[in-house]
Amino acid sequence: MTSAGAPRSLGVHLTSHGGELRVWSASAQQLELVLFDPKDPTWVTKTVPLERGDSDVWSVRSRSLKAGTRYAVRATGPDGPTHAFDPSTLLIEPYSKGLVRIAPGQYRSVVVDGTFDWGGVEKPKVPLDTTVIYEAHARGISKLNTSIPEHLRGSYAGIAHPATIGYLKDLGVTSVELLPVHAFTSEQRLVRQGLVNYWGYNTLNFFTPHPPYASKAAQAEGPDAILREFKGMVRLLHEAGIEVILDVVYNHTAEEGRKGPTTSLRGIDNDAYYRQTADGTYIDVTGCGNSVNTAHPAARQLVLDSLKYWANDLQIDGFRFDLAVTLGREANHEFSAGSELINDIITDPALAGVKMIAEPWDVGAGGWQTGHFPRGWSEWNDRYRDRARNFWLSDIDYARRASQAPVGIGGFATRLAGSSNTFSPDRGPLASVNFITAHDGFTLADLVSYDIKHNIGNGESNRDGTDNNRSFNHGAEGPTADVTILETRRKAMRNLLGTLLLSAGIPMITAGDEFGRTQRGNNNAYCHDSELTWLGSPVDGWQRNLFEHSKRLIELRRQNPALRPTRFGRSGEVIPSANQMDWYDASGNTMSGHDWESARNRTLQYVASSTPEFEDFNRILLIIHGVEDGITVTLPRHPGVSRYELLWRSNDETPVMDAVGSAPGDRIEIAPTSMQLFLAVSDDGGGESDESHG
């Protein structure tokens, strides 16, 4: 046992003489295994009692427990405000690896074989500093791809199809982060409205791949085939060098509030698995009706066992934890970065080398914890998102109305350099997962096209979704034929993508942002499984151009280690332990304190020099100009730099570089609200990226 009262080896374990089922419950007075006819999941063939053993583990052995067997658990226990036993309810066994839905709201666990030939394919093990995450929906990523056979679109097999993998490889991302693929269902409220939970943040079971995401053929064959298709997807992505990261929801379940459906944990031991007061009122810090009580050893073990199953049996490379603060709340319901589960996740040997990414907030008291997770965790950096949006969008909007932006470039530069004011020195810039957009909120194209959300189609009278978008429509709400507005919007997208992919930290791109996908102003499209949310492909010329910019930026990030430091430098070091960063103003002079603080100064020249610790020496110059008037800048006379070679600029419609070189001290024109990236070449030719330069 890893924690008192929390045993290993729960669930079904196959043997040569059938199988053994082990279920944990401290409160139950009786547990039964219910077996069903293989052809009729409503027909009970046998009911077998489980025996209580050590550490409140109930077990039973049965020759009927074999691959393909459909089963459920029935529990009887005491009455009382913190209990929810109902012997008339047939429950999903919490560790079941397969599920079948027999009717609305009714499910059966299924025993799976689980064997699979990985063919010697290993995990890509992409280093954190070279990681570029692509957040995508498991169905939506391939649903509209006409290069994929229709019967595979929207499935695990569709993700693994050469057309999908080829697109990801062409773009250059290293890791696909899939929105939830744990088996889930739609909330009762959505069902009554005739809508669905498309995103999947409503988990039924922590061990089963969502069956509807498998191909129709695999669904017809059953849970073993679904599991094989999922593993086959992982294997093919790994063969292509692409990691698979899962967005996981351990903070709450689909059982909703106390009056919600009882499908599993509530009926087995509500007192242990959910946070509640003495009178049985749920303590909801997730906004979803319930909160899993990870202060209890059994709930902690459930989460850890699920993670280890996905990371080892299914070869998953990393996890992004939805509302991760909930997982770190102690028995007093307050968050602690030193909580057992937060620590166990990054120290368990069976999870060594697995990427762990926190969404560092929930909706409870003290729920915003960005920067407060321990070493070993990376975090979604909402401060980065907000500052980047402000600098390129809401500040520009403000300046149009007030003749000057409200703030200068200081805070933006801190985010660009890895958010050292948020993450401690021992964690460094790779603790920050940088993002401009995510599944939740405006797409990149909508961020530059809408001032307000347009969520009427969600059925909540436009009340749902955030109003704090920090967006800017540039003069027209939504679609427009105004050429000037369209050009300005596209440049704003290039600036935002350039910021994301040229910043220190781990960048995350939302699927479709690389070519300007729109959701027509809906910033909370969780309930739409339609062309509104499916990926599509670049069609118009400007979309293809934006894709090429995205591709070029990812390539430049890979080629230039100066853009991706692994640690923050420490003052006074003879040999820097991280990239050396030097900051200059538009005149090429070292930035003064006034330059950092003045709202009038929104122009910056940033020289980053890598250390040859892991890769060859490399140095870049990045120029940022955040005003809607052009400016002439003097290139800095940086020690050892003999020339600057242009690599990319955001004001170009297409990222075609003409290899223009400039000398330190040269004066060059910078377009309004734009960025330029240069390779800084030293006198002896040092500072070269992987590209060849004359």
Side-chain angles (χ1 to χ4, degrees):
M1 295 190 300
T2 59
S3 305
R8 290 192 181 277
S9 303
L10 298 177
V12 172
H13 301 273
L14 295 176
T15 69
S16 57
H17 305 289
E20 180 184 23
L21 171 65
R22 293 162 60 86
V23 179
W24 182 90
S25 178
S27 302
Q29 296 170 333
Q30 182 178 357
L31 288 178
E32 293 179 311
L33 166 65
V34 182
L35 298 166
F36 299 91
D37 185 281
K39 296 182 179 179
D40 185 353
T42 65
W43 184 262
V44 177
T45 59
K46 186 185 298 185
T47 301
V48 187
L50 280 74
E51 295 185 2
R52 187 195 292 264
D54 295 340
S55 303
D56 295 315
V57 174
W58 302 65
S59 64
V60 63
R61 292 179 178 174
S62 173
R63 291 184 178 275
S64 299
L65 282 174
K66 55 189 178 182
T69 298
R70 300 182 181 192
Y71 69 102
V73 174
R74 181 155 48 206
T76 304
D79 294 329
T82 63
H83 299 301
F85 291 105
D86 181 358
S88 67
T89 301
L90 297 175
L91 303 168
I92 296 169
E93 187 265 299
Y95 280 68
S96 54
K97 309 298 192 299
L99 281 180
V100 292
R101 180 174 181 265
I102 66 166
Q106 295 187 47
Y107 301 88
R108 300 288 181 259
S109 297
V110 181
V111 179
V112 298
D113 181 293
T115 57
F116 184 78
D117 181 8
W118 289 96
V121 177
E122 298 182 352
K123 294 183 178 182
K125 298 180 181 177
V126 178
L128 277 178
D129 71 303
T130 58
T131 297
V132 179
I133 297 172
Y134 188 77
E135 189 201 38
H137 190 281
R139 183 200 298 280
I141 192 173
S142 67
K143 188 66 176 174
L144 293 176
N145 194 330
T146 57
S147 298
I148 298 174
E150 188 172 1
H151 67 282
L152 298 181
R153 295 176 201 163
S155 70
Y156 300 126
I159 301 173
H161 190 273
T164 307
I165 291 177
Y167 179 86
L168 297 171
K169 293 289 288 182
D170 186 34
L171 179 58
V173 297
T174 68
S175 312
V176 173
E177 181 177 301
L178 297 175
L179 268 63
V181 298
H182 288 176
F184 66 88
T185 188
S186 295
E187 293 86 341
Q188 295 178 103
R189 173 185 59 80
L190 289 177
V191 172
R192 289 192 295 268
Q193 290 179 281
L195 298 171
V196 298
N197 185 321
Y198 173 65
W199 287 349
Y201 294 89
N202 200 44
T203 309
L204 275 170
N205 173 266
F206 296 139
F207 291 83
T208 305
H210 191 53
Y213 287 170
S215 63
K216 295 296 184 184
Q219 291 182 54
E221 192 175 339
D224 261 319
I226 293 169
L227 190 57
R228 286 195 302 272
E229 184 173 308
F230 185 92
K231 291 179 177 179
M233 171 197 74
V234 175
R235 183 180 64 188
L236 288 170
L237 285 165
H238 283 179
E239 282 183 350
I242 299 172
E243 292 183 319
V244 182
I245 298 172
L246 299 185
D247 194 334
V248 287
V249 187
Y250 294 115
N251 58 81
H252 75 281
T253 74
E255 293 186 302
E256 302 184 37
R258 281 303 297 261
K259 295 182 179 180
T262 295
T263 56
S264 185
L265 300 180
R266 177 183 289 136
I268 290 172
D269 200 323
N270 183 68
D271 184 63
Y273 281 117
Y274 292 115
R275 295 183 182 273
Q276 52 191 308
T277 61
D279 67 0
T281 301
Y282 274 5
I283 297 172
D284 180 12
V285 297
T286 69
C288 301
N290 66 65
S291 305
V292 174
N293 184 17
T294 51
H296 193 285
R300 286 200 302 273
Q301 198 63 52
L302 177 66
V303 173
L304 282 170
D305 287 346
S306 171
L307 290 170
K308 287 183 279 192
Y309 172 69
W310 290 92
N312 297 302
D313 291 58
L314 280 69
Q315 291 289 287
I316 294 303
D317 303 279
F319 301 95
R320 177 268 187 187
F321 294 81
D322 180 64
L323 301 183
V325 168
T326 301
L327 306 184
R329 290 185 180 270
E330 303 276 27
N332 62 2
H333 313 301
E334 294 180 0
F335 173 78
S336 169
S339 70
E340 284 196 54
L341 183 55
I342 294 297
N343 181 67
D344 287 348
I345 287 172
I346 54 172
T347 59
D348 194 305
L351 294 172
V354 177
K355 291 179 170 70
M356 301 297 179
I357 302 169
E359 182 184 40
W361 51 79
D362 66 14
V363 301
W368 187 78
Q369 294 291 337
T370 304
H372 296 156
F373 278 68
R375 186 172 183 173
W377 285 86
S378 297
E379 303 175 36
W380 273 25
N381 189 348
D382 55 323
R383 288 179 169 181
Y384 176 96
R385 174 201 64 199
D386 293 348
R387 179 64 72 174
R389 290 186 181 191
N390 283 352
F391 187 81
W392 291 116
L393 299 175
S394 56
D395 285 1
I396 303 301
D397 179 22
Y398 184 96
R400 285 192 181 183
R401 292 179 282 107
S403 301
Q404 181 180 306
V407 296
I409 204 163
F412 178 81
T414 301
R415 298 301 164 195
L416 187 76
S419 297
S420 60
N421 61 345
T422 300
F423 300 101
S424 61
D426 68 314
R427 296 183 67 195
L430 297 179
S432 178
V433 174
N434 299 330
F435 66 108
I436 305 295
T437 69
H439 64 278
D440 185 3
F442 278 148
T443 66
L444 183 66
D446 290 353
L447 198 63
V448 303
S449 304
Y450 294 90
D451 279 352
I452 59 174
K453 65 190 181 187
H454 296 263
N455 297 357
I456 293 297
N458 296 356
E460 298 183 51
S461 302
N462 212 41
R463 292 188 301 269
D464 65 303
T466 183
D467 293 310
N468 185 24
N469 295 294
R470 302 169 192 260
S471 59
F472 179 34
N473 67 21
H474 291 88
E477 186 72 358
T480 180
D482 188 305
V483 173
T484 300
I485 291 176
L486 291 174
E487 289 178 349
T488 306
R489 287 176 177 178
R490 292 165 190 169
K491 185 170 62 172
M493 284 190 277
R494 296 193 293 270
N495 284 329
L496 289 162
L497 283 168
T499 300
L500 175 65
L501 290 163
L502 302 179
S503 291
I506 303 169
M508 185 188 79
I509 302 170
T510 304
D513 278 358
E514 71 274 16
F515 63 82
R517 183 182 73 87
T518 179
Q519 289 178 173
R520 300 196 292 274
N522 191 320
N523 75 350
N524 191 34
Y526 74 103
C527 55
H528 297 279
D529 186 358
S530 68
E531 292 191 18
L532 180 71
T533 51
W534 299 338
L535 183 56
S537 59
V539 176
D540 296 331
W542 72 266
Q543 291 182 308
R544 291 191 292 271
N545 290 341
L546 188 60
F547 176 86
E548 290 300 321
H549 272 279
S550 302
K551 178 179 174 180
R552 173 65 173 164
L553 286 163
I554 294 171
E555 178 185 41
L556 289 170
R557 182 179 186 84
R558 177 185 59 79
Q559 292 171 341
N560 292 277
L563 292 168
R564 37 186 176 81
T566 59
R567 296 189 299 276
F568 295 127
R570 294 176 176 86
S571 61
E573 289 183 327
V574 177
I575 300 176
S577 64
N579 285 25
Q580 178 65 39
M581 300 173 183
D582 295 280
W583 310 88
Y584 300 93
D585 62 19
S587 299
N589 299 317
T590 299
M591 291 276 284
S592 67
H594 178 266
D595 291 331
W596 288 116
E597 297 169 4
S598 173
R600 293 183 178 277
N601 181 40
R602 291 175 59 85
T603 306
L604 175 73
Q605 300 191 77
Y606 162 49
V607 175
S609 306
S610 71
T611 59
E613 185 176 4
F614 303 110
E615 300 174 80
D616 290 339
F617 177 77
N618 172 243
R619 185 156 47 201
I620 60 92
L621 166 67
L622 181 61
I623 302 176
I624 297 159
H625 178 55
V627 178
E628 287 197 298
D629 292 309
I631 192 173
T632 301
V633 305
T634 301
L635 297 178
R637 299 182 185 277
H638 190 82
V641 174
S642 60
R643 69 182 186 279
Y644 297 103
E645 296 183 356
L646 185 63
L647 298 176
W648 175 83
R649 59 188 170 210
S650 65
N651 54 297
D652 292 332
E653 281 289 339
T654 59
V656 178
M657 293 296 99
D658 49 12
V660 172
S662 301
D666 283 356
R667 291 167 58 82
I668 65 171
E669 299 301 317
I670 304 296
T673 51
S674 67
M675 303 174 68
Q676 293 197 21
L677 178 69
F678 296 82
L679 182 70
V681 182
S682 63
D683 297 327
D684 59 2
E688 303 261 338
S689 69
D690 290 345
E691 294 185 331
S692 175
H693 296 278

